[in-house]
Amino acid sequence: MLQERFSAEARRLINPFHQDRGIHQFRLYLYIRANCPIRTAEEFRARASYYDRVLYHFGNSHFHEHMFTLLEEIPGVVVLHDFFLSGIQAHRDVHGWAPHAFARALLESHGYRAVQERFTVPDTAEVVWRYPANLPVLQSALGVIVHSDYSRRLARQWYGSAAGADWTVIPLLRTPALAADRNAARAALELAEDELLVCSFGLLGQHKLNHRLLEAWLASPLATDTKAHLVFVGENHGGDYGQNFLRRIRESNAAGRIRITGLADIETFRRYLAAADIGVQLRTLSRGETSAAVLDCMNYGLATIVNANGSFADLDPQGVWMLPDEFSDEELAEALTMLARDPERRRTLGARAREIILTRHAPRRCAEQYFETIEGFYQRAEVGLPGLLAGLAEQPFPQEEWPSLATSLARNFPPKPRRRQLLVDVSELVQRDIKSGIQRVVRAILRQWLDNQPEGFQVEPVYATADAPGYRYARRWTSRFLGIPEAWAEDAPAEAWAGDVFVGLDLQPQVVPAQAAFLHGWRNRGVKVWFVLYDLLPVLLPQVFPEGAQAMHQNWLSTITQFDGVVAISRAVADELAEWLEAFGAKRERSLSQGWFHLGADVEQSMPTTGLPSDAQQVLASLAHRPSFLMVGTVEPRKGHAQTLEAFEQLWAENADVNLVIVGKQGWKVEALVDKLRTHPERGNRLFWLEGISDEYLEKVYAASTCLIAASYGEGFGLPLIEAAQHKLPIIARDIPVFREVAGDHAYYFDDSRDPVVIAKAVRAWLALNRAGTAPSSQRLPWLTWKQSAERLLEIVLGHTKPYKTWLPDPAGVMRFWGNDLRLHTQVGERHRGGMRTTGQSGFLVFGPYTSLSVG
């Protein structure tokens, strides 16, 4: 099926005998056949050690498909004739030479967005045109030779400012054209001496802008000059472009003086070069190729018009008539007219062009440059990884030490060129997606980073387990996450080098401590290691979490604060971390950076779940029937469900006709509450518990509700407040710092008390304010999109913004607090509702370790 989608246009992109380079290739072919022994690839493999130097000529041609694996096995210098190698990579993939080669080259070169496009666009040729897919070749080469500086500019554009700096530019050589008999050529073409011949050479196609030349010609005085001819020397495009082009010629008033030769043999090609007065070679969407046709025109002393696109921009402007890259038809028509009317100018321009070919493109000069460059690359390789490998190959290394040796070499010799990696830990999601608030955050942030890859970085989701050291690339999981096939993907061990950034975006309190030593190894090699902190609740409110949660979370906090930085999901959580560090931060030599950001709230960008139960419409109608107060979040002790239910029982006893709607699945330590909810006499009447519903259903519940109740005793952020504001839903919230931070003056607050009366009183007061039209409105509550949230987090971990705080322990080490007069005045340091314990007579703080958190 993919082969069918790999259109004729894409196949044309890898045709090695485009006519604008055919003469040169055919000459080279004849010379090689006459003077050189030809070895097959397998013969070369068997005899590779007999050769001192290896030179690979890489082009976007299916004749080069065997060289990709050869280059990996046998190092050599690469001559890059086409910067874009996507056509041949796709060809290798589709035709079975190297299954999945295209997808893997796209990932290595451009990231997951390119891979996703490869599997989802209607025509694979779109991806072939869009991406070079050449990084594996560039990284395997001992050195790279290109024919114009444009290829180096493309390298910088795609792979960063340092890419291509050590490449060598050697002009495409040209054997000087023999003195051409212009009169004989014109006679053979049945042209009189006083007739003007304008030619464009090479296969016709949209990227050659042949239609622009035709329109400019027809708009110029040449269209009405009976002695002026326009000839396209080459084969017409086989698709709609070619048919439309022919139709335009037939409909013009100059149809008899405009022609397309069709596929031209070498003698015909030479005749037109010798007979022409003006050459026109135009380009758009250059793929890094160097046009042989324009050099042929210059070689024959032909006054040539080009536009400054791609490698054409590097031509000597004294040897061609250089139009802007984005030229107008008027500018091209003017150039044609001026050269047509000025034979002397044509002669001068052609003579300068031929002089350039005879000097800069002379075979001997180019050969000397090749020799010096190849020797230079091999001398450099001798003191680099290739030389080291060659030396090691001569040593009797014990086989059991090979893995350690390979690891050491990989760590010390990063591939070049390369983009830095943004390694995103998704260890929890790879194992399970319980669709909690944290999982929603991870999915949303990761999706933004994959879709909007930061400049100079490649986003790579990674995962680890607690059983074995090291992270692996999560390529199969990421494929499923993006909705594309996963057969192409391999979860290889993750490698990292200086300049890479690791972000612990997922929460995995068992895996991270188990991988601490491995992460320290990365950090010691220059990898920045950051973690996202969702909250400190298991150490602040251990009594509302499962057994062991406090110790686990404490251990996780102690681990993540050993690295470069921690980013909290709110300023309140960042402040709590700062207080925790003062009491329990580990000894360290470099400061810990601390930042905070807010979460996004556009649900459609967080990979929302869909689906409605059969009774959805009935429930939604019941919610709209009377004032409905909504709670959103996992049913677990700290969310305040029990207190809120008791408050509503008081309201119902007072004949208040209001609904309580709870959206969230069962969590931990709520068995008694769950039994009460399932058997409550108001269930299905004025009490609704919607367990584990889809995001689609939740959106409808928000829309049908009257007010949100945020009754949680502690949160990292409070995403339901933002979601309520999006639906213009008023908010009643517990008066805790993070809710004040998120909602500001856009919510009605009740005291932070465990007494149900407080919530009942708040609901009654809010109803009165609402009737009077004076209840706080959430409509202007500020919130971020997930794109903005992801960008903010990225700015912090990449060091583009100043840290909110930094921390180093005091010179004596970790600060100790003794005695019974302990005051830190925050949740971290208070003796607060069982939220901390003291031991012995000293009163020394012990938070002692968790498993699952929620962000709202």
Side-chain angles (χ1 to χ4, degrees), residues 601-613:
D602 45 336
V603 175
E604 66 275 7
Q605 294 300 318
S606 61
M607 307 290 287
T609 55
T610 58
L612 299 175

Side-chain angles (χ1 to χ4, degrees), residues 297-318:
C297 291
M298 295 171 70
N299 197 11
Y300 274 78
L302 192 58
T304 307
I305 301 171
V306 301
N307 64 316
N309 178 265
S311 62
F312 284 5
D314 297 328
L315 294 170
D316 189 332
Q318 300 300 312

Side-chain angles (χ1 to χ4, degrees), residues 280-501:
V280 183
Q281 301 298 131
L282 306 171
R283 289 291 188 279
T284 188
L285 299 174
S286 173
R287 298 163 57 75
E289 71 280 358
T290 298
S291 170
V294 72
L295 298 181
D296 286 332
C297 291
M298 295 171 70
N299 197 11
Y300 274 78
L302 192 58
T304 307
I305 301 171
V306 301
N307 64 316
N309 178 265
S311 62
F312 284 5
D314 297 328
L315 294 170
D316 189 332
Q318 300 300 312
V320 292
W321 185 298
M322 184 79 73
L323 295 172
D325 183 11
E326 299 292 336
F327 62 92
S328 66
D329 288 352
E330 290 75 16
E331 288 174 308
L332 177 53
E334 180 184 9
L336 288 167
T337 303
M338 292 183 68
L339 285 176
R341 291 174 176 173
D342 192 343
E344 181 57 27
R345 189 168 186 174
R346 296 201 303 269
R347 189 199 65 77
T348 301
L349 193 60
R352 174 57 182 153
R354 181 162 170 76
E355 180 185 349
I356 290 170
I357 296 298
L358 293 176
T359 54
R360 300 180 192 175
H361 299 265
R364 177 171 291 279
R365 176 175 175 175
C366 292
E368 290 172 351
Q369 289 179 283
Y370 269 96
F371 171 77
E372 294 170 0
T373 297
I374 293 169
E375 290 305 300
F377 284 146
Y378 267 89
Q379 288 173 15
R380 185 180 68 184
E382 287 179 5
V383 295
L385 179 60
L388 181 57
L389 289 173
L392 290 171
E394 299 173 0
Q395 304 297 323
F397 238 86
Q399 187 169 349
E400 61 271 15
E401 295 185 21
W402 288 0
S404 298
L405 175 62
T407 299
S408 178
L409 293 174
R411 288 175 177 176
N412 288 280
F413 293 94
K416 295 181 181 179
R418 78 177 190 96
R419 288 173 302 157
R420 293 186 289 168
Q421 297 179 102
L422 183 64
L423 301 157
V424 186
D425 187 1
V426 293
S427 296
E428 179 67 17
L429 274 177
V430 168
Q431 294 183 42
R432 69 188 74 83
D433 183 358
I434 62 173
K435 294 181 172 57
S436 72
I438 288 178
Q439 275 69 54
R440 183 192 294 187
V441 173
V442 175
R443 291 195 305 268
I445 295 289
L446 178 61
R447 186 58 188 253
Q448 291 299 323
W449 285 350
L450 290 172
D451 287 348
N452 306 283
Q453 198 158 249
E455 185 175 355
F457 278 86
Q458 174 143 324
V459 177
E460 283 280 9
V462 295
Y463 69 96
T465 67
D467 303 326
Y471 282 78
R472 303 185 78 86
Y473 293 113
R475 288 171 178 165
R476 290 185 176 273
W477 177 87
T478 306
S479 297
R480 296 192 296 272
F481 177 71
L482 295 174
I484 60 177
E486 60 179 282
W488 68 275
E490 178 185 358
D491 288 358
E495 297 181 283
W497 297 275
D500 291 343
V501 178

